[in-house]
Structures are given as structure tokens and as C-alpha cells.
Amino acid sequence: ASKTAVSSFQRYSHENHSEFTDFYPINPMNAEEKCDLLVSKLNIRKIAFYGDSLTESQFKSFLNLFGTSFITSSPHSLVCPLQTGMLSNNSLSSTVEIPLFFQRDSGGSPFPHDPRSEYSFSPELLSFLQNPPISGGHDNYRTLAIFNIGAHYHNTSWYHEDMNVLLHS
């Protein structure tokens, strides 16, 4: 395996393991392809991220995967171009706006001896999940929700109790 520099500004290098990529090819998707997957194949019209600091990193990574050409801020939305053939007679727009939601949860505790905070869904999250999507009120449109708990739990019984809340809410 050979090492190649990732960029001239980084001191890290990447080991090329072509024996794996030849057997398991990785075909990265560009932003348009990701939009097509979300909009036309999965019918996603809202995306929510709710969880701990790791979820915040996942949300920021998601935004960076699309870049500023596809992401609006205040509030965050993903604006996807419609592919040819997706425009209907009722559609006046050539884009689909997918509202994005991120919020830190209140579960766990920052340090092992701190008092416990119990996990619950915030009113803002519930409102986001319950309101219809911006782009039409179609019944078969879906919401993609990413929930993550665990990194700030120092007591397994609290983790199990709060995971139960998450799964049954």
C-alpha cells in the first residue's frame, strides 16, 4: 500500500488500500445525486437531527456534504434541484426545499458525578416533526430523523431508561 498526501496543507497522509476498494468499490455521490436520492427515491421532505455533541458533528458534516450552493441558513434548509421529468403540472418551482432541524438533547450528564438530566423530546422538535413539509402536503412524503444518545451517559441504568423514552416516544 502506498501513501499519498491528502493535500499540501495537511501533514497527514492516506494509505491507499486498493485491494479493498477494488473489491468494494466506493462511488462517492455529488450533491445533485444526494438530492436526487433524498427527493425522488426516498421522498424525504424534512430532516431532523436531535442528540448529543456527536449528533451536532453529524449535522455539520451533513451541511458540508452539500455545501453553500444547496444549504440556506436562518433557518437551515436543503434546496434540491428537481431532476428532469419530476416537474408536475402543479409544480411552479424547479427546486424542493427540505427544512433541516438540529437541537441538542437534555439527557445524560456532562461529567460522571454531575446530576442527571432526563431525556425528552423538546417542544421545538415535536413541532418540527408534526408540521407538514414546506414542499407540498403529499401523504407519502417522509421525514428523516437522526437521533443519538449515549455519549454523555455515565450510568448504564440512566442510559437504558432514556433509551426507552426515545424508543417509545
Side-chain angles (χ1 to χ4, degrees):
S2 63
K3 292 187 175 191
T4 56
V6 174
S7 84
S8 60
F9 301 106
Q10 295 178 334
R11 60 181 171 205
Y12 304 103
S13 63
H14 170 73
E15 283 194 35
N16 182 5
H17 290 282
S18 61
E19 66 273 17
F20 296 116
T21 56
D22 291 343
F23 191 70
Y24 299 105
I26 298 172
N27 299 315
M29 297 169 70
N30 63 32
E32 289 88 359
E33 291 168 323
K34 287 183 279 243
C35 272
D36 185 51
L37 175 68
L38 291 169
V39 172
S40 65
K41 293 180 176 63
L42 298 175
N43 291 324
I44 301 295
R45 294 301 185 273
K46 293 191 295 183
I47 301 174
F49 290 79
Y50 190 71
D52 56 22
S53 57
L54 298 175
T55 311
E56 183 173 12
S57 293
Q58 291 170 339
F59 179 68
K60 290 177 180 178
S61 178
F62 181 85
L63 297 179
N64 286 325
L65 284 171
F66 284 94
T68 56
S69 299
F70 290 82
I71 300 292
T72 64
S73 59
S74 298
H76 281 104
S77 289
L78 171 61
V79 180
C80 288
L82 288 175
Q83 301 295 323
T84 307
M86 283 187 63
L87 293 172
S88 68
N89 294 337
N90 301 350
S91 177
L92 300 175
S93 176
S94 60
T95 61
V96 172
E97 183 177 352
I98 301 174
L100 303 173
F101 178 89
F102 165 74
Q103 190 174 50
R104 295 279 299 262
D105 68 26
S106 58
S109 59
F111 299 101
H113 300 292
D114 284 355
R116 176 188 185 188
S117 298
E118 292 189 28
Y119 185 89
S120 63
F121 289 160
S122 72
E124 297 86 1
L125 173 66
L126 293 173
S127 175
F128 179 83
L129 294 175
Q130 292 167 354
N131 287 330
I134 292 172
S135 299
H138 230 242
D139 289 341
N140 64 352
Y141 287 158
R142 297 176 173 166
T143 298
L144 174 61
I146 295 95
F147 297 97
N148 185 1
I149 68 171
H152 299 280
Y153 285 84
H154 307 284
N155 178 312
T156 55
S157 65
W158 293 351
Y159 171 78
H160 288 284
E161 289 171 18
D162 287 357
M163 181 59 79
N164 195 38
V165 170
L166 169 64
L167 294 174
H168 294 99
S169 292

